[in-house]
Amino acid sequence: DDKMGSPDSKRIRMYTTRWCGDCWRAKRFLKSNNIEFAEVNIGGNCEAAQLVMEHNYGKRRVPT
């Protein structure tokens, strides 16, 4: 089952914070290459912060 052509395979959801320099660089790269993405700021979003921590061994590591 090759999903390379499916629309879902092209969606990116990036978890960020406003103060993160790596987040800014990643967003700039995606935008400059016309890659669509959805940004989720984990500052003030407990559910998103919890999800990030679950995927990063308990750390609030961004961008994820």
Side-chain angles (χ1 to χ4, degrees):
D1 188 310
D2 181 8
K3 293 188 174 198
M4 289 302 291
S6 73
D8 287 341
S9 69
K10 297 178 184 175
R11 292 189 183 152
I12 296 172
R13 180 175 298 151
M14 182 167 36
Y15 293 85
T16 66
T17 61
R18 290 195 292 190
W19 50 263
C20 170
D22 288 336
C23 297
W24 286 98
R25 284 185 285 281
K27 290 187 291 186
R28 186 175 8 167
F29 172 82
L30 293 171
K31 288 176 184 177
S32 69
N33 287 282
N34 297 316
I35 299 170
E36 292 184 27
F37 66 97
E39 180 179 5
V40 180
N41 186 332
I42 67 168
N45 184 333
C46 294
E47 272 185 42
Q50 183 63 36
L51 181 75
V52 166
M53 289 171 35
E54 287 172 13
H55 288 282
N56 290 298
Y57 307 101
K59 296 187 167 65
R60 289 177 56 134
R61 187 176 292 159
V62 287
T64 296

